[in-house]
Amino acid sequence: MNIVLVTGSAGLIGSESVAFFSDKFDLVIGVDNNLRQYFFGADGSTEWNRDRLQNDFSNYRHYKADIRKVEELEPIFQEYGTDIKLIVHAAAQPSHDWAAREPFTDFSVNATGTLNMLEMNRLHCPDAVFIFTSTNKVYGDNPNNLPLIETETRWEIDHNHPYFENGIDEFMSIDQTKHSLFGASKVAADVLVQEYGRYFGMKTGVFRGGCLTGPNHSGAQLHGFLSYLMKCAITGNHYTIFGYKGKQVRDNIHSYDLVNMFWHYYQNPRSGEVYNAGGGRHANCSMIEAIALCEEISGNKMNYSYSETNRIGDHIWYVSDLTKFKKHYPGWDWTYDLRQTLEQIHDSMAKRLNQPA
Ligand SMILES: NC(=O)c1ccc[n+]([C@@H]2O[C@H](COP(=O)([O-])OP(=O)(O)OC[C@H]3O[C@@H](n4cnc5c(N)ncnc54)[C@H](O)[C@@H]3O)[C@@H](O)[C@H]2O)c1
């Protein structure tokens, strides 16, 4: 039997992984305890998405286990053992602002939880491929030291800089920079995942996400940028832009395209590799450009205000360079551009909120 085990399976990336892999594996095991609701309140609950997976995919089996607790993980790994061929580890505390509220919780989910998963992998199914959803926050605020210029709607990198053409590559330092506590706990996890590949020779891969997005995000104010923005566009709820004149740039990758990267990696894994994974030059926007697009797609004027203070350590300009991944896996490419992604988020969000699409 071939099994894929997905942590954070009711979240954005986890649920996309379940859908993507359901016809490629005999069984999809999901681990998610809806801790996202504890982090972000009702907006963040992923229960609706877990129900959807259970209804839509007959080979999906859900476990409400906590990745912080080995005693809850071990029975699952004991039961399925070497039938587990792929682990997608996407459970996390994903917000840098939230991490400062409860550093113990953040670290235990992001760092210790990842160590727990790696040990389960090593002890019960050492040949399985392990994919970790890391983050561009491992680079801390180093990107803010790049030579940036201000244009009418966005910050942009100097045209003469080597990052101008394709964005930021994996050689940017992750050291001696301000990460936020979230970034620090993800660095710990990121380096552990690399180490299990390099030290133990296991098939571990690190994917450092830019903004990950898609229709199945439970967008909340502190996490899920485009999903929450579109929710505000539809409902008329107030949205606050924090700092940088609203010209901060993020690259956005649709969850399908990211999981398709995992699929390519799974078929030909390279131990301990690190890849930047985002929308790159193909799909990126500033905050005010995103607002304009949301207004256009929803047909509503957004209700937003500007607060001078930026989020601590927030990136001013971040665009991922995917050249390395594309070189290793030339069969992969993006399938969604920004407008298509936002239109899809709009339609599914309108349905979820019971409003006309
Ligand atoms: N969304 C982004 O913009 C973004 C950007 C970069 C990196 N990432 C990383 O990608 C991964 C997936 O992000 P996402 O947007 O899908 O997050 P998400 O919050 O939508 O999904 C994570 C899921 O994990 C679950 N979870 C959290 N703690 C758990 C625990 N202790 N035990 C079991 N389940 C638990 C949550 O309930 C949630 O359903 C995370 O590692 C995140 O740090 C996300």
Side-chain angles (χ1 to χ4, degrees), residues 8 10-13 32-36 39 46 65-68 90-92 94 109 133-135 182 186 209-212 217 223:
L12 170 74
I13 300 308
D32 198 310
N33 63 354
N34 195 25
L35 209 58
R36 188 173 169 93
F39 301 144
T46 53
D66 191 326
I67 59 159
R68 291 172 292 182
V109 174
T133 46
S134 187
T135 166
F182 159 74
K186 291 295 271 194
C211 272
L212 316 180
H217 219 182
H223 188 249

Side-chain angles (χ1 to χ4, degrees), residues 210-213 225-226 250-254 278-280 282-285 334 336-338 341:
C211 272
L212 316 180
T213 192
F225 157 52
L226 287 180
R250 280 99 183 73
D251 66 336
N252 303 279
I253 185 168
H254 192 289
H282 175 75
N284 63 78
C285 58
W334 292 281
Y336 286 88
D337 65 21
L338 190 60
T341 303

Side-chain angles (χ1 to χ4, degrees), residues 53-324:
L53 298 175
Q54 285 176 319
N55 286 333
D56 290 359
F57 303 102
S58 57
N59 62 343
Y60 176 69
R61 206 171 286 169
H62 190 88
Y63 288 83
K64 206 173 176 177
D66 191 326
I67 59 159
R68 291 172 292 182
K69 298 183 178 155
V70 172
E71 66 275 20
E72 292 185 12
L73 295 175
E74 192 123 49
I76 304 172
F77 279 85
Q78 268 161 353
E79 183 172 353
Y80 300 106
T82 53
D83 283 349
I84 300 172
K85 303 292 191 273
L86 168 63
I87 297 167
V88 177
H89 176 39
Q93 188 301 106
S95 155
H96 40 129
D97 291 333
W98 195 91
R101 291 187 192 165
E102 289 188 33
F104 280 130
T105 309
D106 175 75
F107 197 84
S108 63
V109 174
N110 289 350
T112 313
T114 300
L115 179 61
N116 291 343
M117 289 302 302
L118 287 164
E119 270 300 278
M120 292 299 100
N121 182 183
R122 187 173 76 87
L123 298 174
H124 297 282
C125 47
D127 286 335
V129 171
F130 188 101
I131 284 168
F132 175 58
T133 46
S134 187
T135 166
N136 60 16
K137 291 306 294 178
V138 299
Y139 299 117
D141 60 3
N142 272 334
N144 292 355
N145 298 324
L146 293 168
L148 300 178
I149 46 168
E150 186 178 352
T151 72
E152 203 179 316
T153 61
R154 59 161 59 203
W155 293 100
E156 193 41 86
I157 192 164
D158 189 311
H159 290 208
N160 297 316
H161 194 278
Y163 287 159
F164 177 76
E165 192 181 349
N166 293 315
I168 294 171
D169 66 23
E170 295 82 357
F171 288 104
M172 176 166 272
S173 171
I174 63 168
D175 198 12
Q176 301 185 67
T177 168
K178 192 192 290 178
H179 292 91
S180 81
L181 292 181
F182 159 74
S185 65
K186 291 295 271 194
V187 166
D190 182 306
V191 173
L192 277 166
V193 175
Q194 291 184 54
E195 211 53 41
Y196 271 67
R198 288 169 189 263
Y199 188 90
F200 291 121
M202 287 164 55
K203 298 167 192 157
T204 63
V206 172
F207 290 76
R208 293 179 175 160
C211 272
L212 316 180
T213 192
N216 294 318
H217 219 182
S218 305
Q221 189 177 12
L222 289 184
H223 188 249
F225 157 52
L226 287 180
S227 165
Y228 188 68
L229 193 65
M230 187 58 91
K231 189 178 202 170
C232 291
I234 295 172
T235 59
N237 287 351
H238 181 259
Y239 188 88
T240 309
I241 299 172
F242 294 100
Y244 304 142
K245 304 183 185 172
K247 296 184 179 183
Q248 54 272 56
V249 169
R250 280 99 183 73
D251 66 336
N252 303 279
I253 185 168
H254 192 289
S255 45
Y256 174 88
D257 286 333
L258 180 69
V259 176
N260 195 21
M261 290 174 86
F262 299 167
W263 175 231
H264 280 76
Y265 176 85
Y266 169 73
Q267 294 171 89
N268 186 14
R270 303 167 73 115
S271 289
E273 267 296 0
V274 171
Y275 298 106
N276 285 349
R281 278 295 184 196
H282 175 75
N284 63 78
C285 58
S286 73
M287 195 64 95
I288 53 181
E289 289 166 357
I291 287 175
L293 255 174
C294 285
E295 288 185 334
E296 204 183 309
I297 291 168
S298 68
N300 299 332
K301 265 264 158 270
M302 285 199 68
N303 166 21
Y304 66 92
S305 61
Y306 177 70
S307 158
E308 203 56 61
T309 319
N310 60 272
R311 290 188 156 131
I312 301 174
D314 204 17
H315 291 156
I316 306 172
W317 180 89
Y318 193 93
V319 171
S320 316
D321 180 355
L322 273 70
T323 305
K324 178 175 164 187

